[in-house]
Amino acid sequence: MDTLSHLIEIKDIYKSFGDLSVLRGVSLNVSAGEILGIIGASGSGKSTLIRCINGLEATQRGEILIKGQRLNSSREAVNVRKKIGMVFQNFNLFPHYTVLQNITGPCRVVRKLSKKSAEELGESLLEKVRLKDKMAQYPGNLSGGEKQRVAIARVLAMEPEIILFDEPTSALDPELAYEVFDIIKLLAEDGMAMMIVTHQIGFIKNLAHLILFIDNGKIACSGNPDYILNECNHPHLQDFLMRLRENI
Ligand SMILES: Nc1ncnc2c1ncn2[C@@H]1O[C@H](COP(=O)(O)OP(=O)(O)O)[C@@H](O)[C@H]1O
Ligand SMILES: [Mg+2]
């Protein structure tokens, strides 16, 4: 596949914080419609990888191309970066805005939509995440699962070509996590490209085309879910999966 057919192309990136070397030569590609699951122990560098892709952290070596364009501060790169949506563990909603305003605000500022268009879009996206009846509420009155669904609707309003999820359900009780996974499944059916960092293996094994196991800042193993969960015999992966299963 040539470079332009990849939405995201990462070539041998390195990232340290002072003396702490966190990403140590990571390369990967994501194409349109592709879903990557990312697993690995706490502290292995998963969030740092996601943050580098989204331009929230700068890398020290290597290259990140978004639709063939280098991530730097040029105006085109800023525009290309708008194609990447990001869903965090802790929702990051604006508490003093209603649910609908959480979506229409960024639409008006970033996409320069009129009030009417932003509201129409906001309402249709809230319907998609099954929260239209909550649009006048404030985030403080919602459950964690509902907050995360609003956060997803807000990301969709930016019309991203790929969404990066960093442990989107780890702050939620299991039954609320399912609500969020149901929405992520809908996005998968729509063909949205996604990178999903999660410890919820049972969920991504039915969804991801490829799973990457990050170990100490490197991709130690990658493959389809069946290979990663049942066949790969990398000892650190085996230890990681065993610990996860013990916690279930
Ligand atoms: N801004 C930062 N400054 C210093 N150290 C950081 C920073 N962000 C992450 N780290 C460190 O980098 C390592 C990897 O962190 P992270 O990418 O958050 O791991 P994961 O998401 O896999 O749990 C950890 O040791 C963490 O403490
Ligand atoms: Mg993390």
Side-chain angles (χ1 to χ4, degrees), residues 55-149:
L56 295 171
E57 297 285 356
T59 53
Q60 279 111 8
R61 267 174 62 189
E63 243 180 10
I64 299 179
L65 303 176
I66 312 292
K67 297 187 84 174
Q69 230 166 355
R70 229 170 248 115
L71 253 193
N72 56 32
S73 58
S74 75
R75 181 171 301 174
E76 299 84 73
V78 170
N79 280 330
V80 168
R81 215 152 67 197
K82 286 186 191 153
K83 301 287 169 204
I84 306 176
M86 177 92 197
V87 175
F88 300 91
Q89 180 179 1
N90 290 319
F91 329 124
N92 292 5
L93 298 178
F94 301 113
H96 53 291
Y97 282 3
T98 65
V99 162
L100 183 62
Q101 286 165 345
N102 262 277
I103 300 172
T104 55
C107 281
R108 299 199 61 195
V109 174
V110 180
R111 291 189 57 201
K112 318 270 187 248
L113 296 186
S114 69
K115 187 163 187 274
K116 185 165 177 283
S117 317
E119 282 176 357
E120 280 169 9
L121 178 61
E123 285 179 29
S124 74
L125 289 171
L126 284 171
E127 189 152 10
K128 186 176 179 94
V129 300
R130 304 187 193 112
L131 284 174
K132 202 167 170 211
D133 56 329
K134 302 278 184 190
M135 71 182 186
Q137 297 280 332
Y138 286 86
N141 297 330
L142 303 185
S143 72
E146 289 169 342
K147 284 184 202 165
Q148 193 61 297
R149 282 147 62 200

Side-chain angles (χ1 to χ4, degrees), residues 41-48 89 166-167 197 199:
S42 183
S44 58
K46 305 178 300 294
S47 293
T48 303
Q89 180 179 1
D166 192 358
E167 301 204 34
V197 176
H199 290 285

Side-chain angles (χ1 to χ4, degrees), residues 31 43 82 100 111 125 141-142 151 154 170 179-181 187 189 244:
S31 301
K82 286 186 191 153
L100 183 62
R111 291 189 57 201
L125 289 171
N141 297 330
L142 303 185
R154 184 175 60 178
S170 59
E179 289 178 358
V180 172
F181 285 140
L187 302 183
E189 285 162 15
L244 270 193

